[in-house]
Amino acid sequence: MRLMIFGAGFSGLAIARALAGDCSFAGGTTRSHERFAKLEAAGLTPFVYQGGVPDGGLAAALAEVTHLVMSIAPDADGDPLLDALSADQLKKIAPQLEWVGYLSTVGVYGDHDGGWVDESTVCKPVSKRSIARVAAEKGWIDLAGQAGVPAAIVRLSGIYGPGRNALKTLESGKARRLIKPGQVFNRIHVADIGGATALLARERLGGIFNVTDDKPAPPQDVVEHAARLMGVEPPPETDFETADLSPMARSFYGENKRVSNARIKGAGFSFAYPDYEAGLGALWSDGTWKG
């Protein structure tokens, strides 16, 4: 395997760490030179990419790529790489390509009133960002299919990990215990994103896979568990309806569902952190929660 990661951020770097030793890295992209050191620390040759057809050193690196991970979210103009390439261009720029992985979100399912969803559930996206994700998913499936390579769509729930978790939020004084009766969310430790995507890449598996934990739970439960680990009092309960929230924060609570991970388990993946208790507990015990 020779891998290129477009958008080597929090999740992208976890994928690189999970595949270290199993493949060679063609590189990873970022929007600016400021993050080059982080990419280099993960073994990735860094490239600046801000959209359009890759050129220069990035294009030269893609000529040797067998595996491509796309981790850049679509913006108001769409997916920056997908919109720049036809199937013929993809085959020309990456002639050795064997597999594509696209990181998406469980937000594509929309609201299901707390009911269970799986990969066969019809997508009913609510927010503009999730509508854009559905379009990008279809675009990557179509583009990869036309180029004759499998595409894995990796749908992620709320991501946490070192430096990005309820423990860190509590320490900063920004944690809130919002109460909305019946509301649940799934979550996923970033290391499990890396591990699951690495499995799909190694096996060159295509299709749609929910990469999410075993325990959809009310958000206040996570804050309370983090407080118990730290030995501090949790913040007071706040009614969701009267809480002062940004439109984006409030929009997340408009989607209520339980997401099944049976398909990725069926593909052979075992979660290192199957629920938030295990994930937060490990972050606390090894001190990596601070990032």
Side-chain angles (χ1 to χ4, degrees):
M1 289 191 291
R2 189 154 177 81
L3 175 70
M4 174 66 73
I5 301 172
F6 276 81
F10 196 52
S11 298
L13 292 179
I15 294 168
R17 288 189 289 269
L19 282 168
D22 290 345
C23 74
S24 61
F25 295 124
T29 76
T30 182
R31 290 178 180 269
S32 71
H33 290 84
E34 295 175 0
R35 297 194 69 257
F36 272 27
K38 287 189 175 181
L39 272 65
E40 290 168 340
L44 299 175
T45 300
F47 298 95
V48 171
Y49 177 72
Q50 297 178 331
V53 178
D55 57 14
L58 178 56
L62 283 167
E64 300 177 348
V65 162
T66 61
H67 290 62
L68 185 154
V69 169
M70 179 57 173
S71 183
I72 302 174
D75 57 22
D77 297 320
D79 184 298
L81 183 59
L82 177 65
D83 294 345
L85 296 176
S86 65
D88 287 342
Q89 287 174 311
L90 179 60
K91 286 188 288 186
K92 183 177 180 180
I93 203 168
Q96 300 183 54
L97 190 65
E98 299 176 4
W99 178 86
V100 170
Y102 179 72
L103 301 193
S104 185
T105 168
V106 298
V108 298
Y109 294 113
D111 180 36
H112 289 266
D113 294 322
W116 283 94
V117 300
D118 62 22
E119 293 85 350
S120 67
T121 302
V122 175
C123 291
K124 300 187 296 181
V126 176
S127 66
K128 289 183 179 180
R129 61 183 178 275
S130 293
I131 292 170
R133 285 289 193 181
V134 171
E137 284 186 2
K138 183 180 184 303
W140 277 106
I141 291 170
D142 291 347
L143 181 66
Q146 292 163 15
V149 298
I153 305 299
V154 183
R155 290 177 175 166
L156 306 173
S157 52
I159 303 168
Y160 71 100
R164 188 185 298 186
N165 54 74
L167 299 161
K168 183 83 170 179
T169 308
L170 269 171
E171 183 199 37
S172 69
K174 296 179 181 178
R176 305 178 74 175
R177 200 155 43 125
L178 292 172
I179 307 298
K180 183 181 181 185
Q183 181 74 50
V184 295
F185 295 112
N186 284 78
R187 295 152 192 88
I188 186 66
H189 193 294
V190 71
D192 281 326
I193 296 174
T197 307
L199 179 143
L200 295 171
R202 291 189 196 101
E203 301 297 327
R204 295 165 175 78
L205 295 178
I208 299 172
F209 299 88
N210 295 328
V211 176
T212 183
D213 68 0
D214 289 340
K215 191 171 184 177
Q220 65 269 22
D221 289 8
V222 180
V223 177
E224 291 165 10
H225 185 67
R228 283 194 294 272
L229 289 170
M230 299 181 81
V232 301
E233 285 295 317
E237 293 186 353
T238 302
D239 181 66
F240 171 78
E241 297 301 332
T242 58
D244 182 18
L245 297 173
S246 69
M248 176 170 284
R250 190 168 290 277
S251 73
F252 283 112
Y253 282 77
E255 299 178 8
N256 184 16
K257 54 187 168 288
R258 292 170 167 83
V259 185
S260 169
N261 59 18
R263 180 171 291 178
I264 191 67
K265 286 181 176 178
F269 183 65
S270 296
F271 287 82
Y273 308 103
D275 52 50
Y276 68 85
E277 289 103 334
L280 289 178
L283 290 167
W284 178 250
S285 63
D286 64 21
T288 56
W289 62 277
K290 293 185 177 181

